[in-house]
Amino acid sequence: MSQFLLVTDLDNTLVGDRAALATLNQHLTAQRQNDNIKIIYSTGRSRFLYQRLTQEETLLCPDALICSVGTAIYLNPDEDKTDAEWDNKLSQNWDRELIVALTAHYSDLMPQPDSEQTDYKVSFCISPSAAKELIPRLKNVLAEKGLKTKIIYSADKDLDILPENGDKGLALQYLREKWGFEPENTVVCGDSGNDIALFSVEPCRGVIVGNAKPELRQWYQEQERDRCYFAQDFCAGGILEGLKHFSFLT
Ligand code: GLC
Ligand code: MG
């Protein structure tokens, strides 16, 4: 019996090519019947936007859902109830109100919709040129106030401010350990900046889909490559290619 933990981003990774997604779903469904496989969706979306996506695309039911760039874990994806232990880790050194007050001074930062402003994530849209100049300043301003945060820029538009204890990689690590999967039997898949944290969890296997964004391509070029596979195919096709590359699927 083979076993593996599949952790995949949604937009432009699992989702983006319907035919390829249907094929991947078939493989995973067949394999799930015999083997010890768990699937985690790890998305930047809030649970609200995740649910909207499930109405538009055919997604298998995951064993757990990581939302809002690793800052909300749902062990039962059907229930609107986050994992309390994870919430507790995120709440350390996190002062949402102060972050909102400090960031209000910058007109380049355009707040994202309310659904994406969650307990442990403050999110904006900002252009690449403004981001380049503002991110270092923002880091200083937050640090000067004693705030320990992570600033993550994705897809040349989304800027997320997260607690220091939260990101996609740390959330995956938490669930991997909880469920007892070895890193060698864990495969993460992504396409953009907020997935870099997923790929940074050593020594998990990684699949970068062929349509990856420049920030992830650049990160990949700076890494040693054997545990990360850069697929030729796009989206779910790239995931399938990567799972075969690592012999998780035949
Ligand atoms: C999703 C979220 C958004 C976030 C982005 C990048 O689009 O809805 O809030 O900024 O992912 O992480
Ligand atoms: Mg994505």
Side-chain angles (χ1 to χ4, degrees), residues 14-224:
L14 185 67
V15 170
D17 177 340
R18 286 208 172 119
L21 176 58
T23 307
L24 177 65
N25 281 348
Q26 274 171 9
H27 275 85
L28 292 173
T29 303
Q31 202 97 355
R32 248 176 163 183
Q33 281 159 10
N34 306 318
D35 295 342
N36 179 17
I37 292 176
K38 284 199 190 289
I39 300 173
I40 297 175
Y41 294 154
S42 180
T43 178
R45 292 176 180 242
S46 60
R47 186 169 177 277
F48 172 78
L49 285 189
Y50 165 73
Q51 283 183 312
R52 186 176 287 175
L53 187 67
T54 62
Q55 288 159 12
E56 296 161 3
E57 304 286 338
T58 306
L59 300 178
L60 301 179
C61 185
D63 296 285
L65 181 62
I66 298 175
C67 281
S68 304
V69 199
T71 63
I73 294 180
Y74 300 89
L75 290 171
N76 177 357
D78 293 332
E79 233 179 66
D80 191 10
K81 185 172 162 288
T82 55
D83 183 70
E85 196 182 331
W86 186 244
D87 289 346
N88 190 35
K89 284 184 204 286
L90 298 179
S91 65
Q92 289 155 28
N93 295 323
W94 175 249
D95 186 340
R96 193 177 198 289
E97 274 178 30
L98 186 53
I99 294 168
V100 171
L102 291 170
T103 49
H105 301 297
Y106 302 97
S107 57
D108 285 329
L109 289 173
M110 290 163 291
Q112 290 187 11
D114 286 350
S115 74
E116 302 316 283
Q117 312 295 349
T118 51
D119 286 354
Y120 300 107
K121 170 172 165 289
V122 180
S123 293
F124 302 92
C125 291
I126 182 170
S127 72
S129 55
K132 201 167 172 221
E133 191 259 331
L134 193 59
I135 289 173
R137 273 169 60 201
L138 215 48
K139 282 186 177 160
N140 284 338
V141 168
L142 295 174
E144 273 166 18
K145 293 284 176 190
L147 295 168
K148 293 189 174 154
T149 58
K150 277 183 189 155
I151 300 183
I152 300 185
Y153 191 52
S154 301
D156 276 349
K157 60 179 172 56
D158 297 315
L159 188 143
D160 301 312
I161 306 181
L162 313 179
E164 64 169 341
N165 292 340
D167 61 34
K168 284 187 171 189
L170 293 170
L172 139 72
Q173 193 81 302
Y174 171 76
L175 288 182
R176 188 184 66 66
E177 283 167 11
K178 203 182 195 52
W179 290 345
F181 279 86
E182 296 300 323
E184 292 78 7
N185 289 335
T186 301
V187 58
V188 305
C189 311
D191 77 297
S192 83
N194 72 19
D195 300 315
I196 291 173
L198 276 182
F199 293 108
S200 305
V201 180
E202 298 269 11
C204 295
R205 308 301 180 227
V207 180
I208 298 176
V209 289
N211 52 299
K213 299 273 189 314
E215 68 266 16
L216 184 55
R217 285 173 186 272
Q218 191 190 334
W219 177 86
Y220 173 73
Q221 275 154 14
E222 293 160 7
Q223 302 305 307
E224 49 163 291

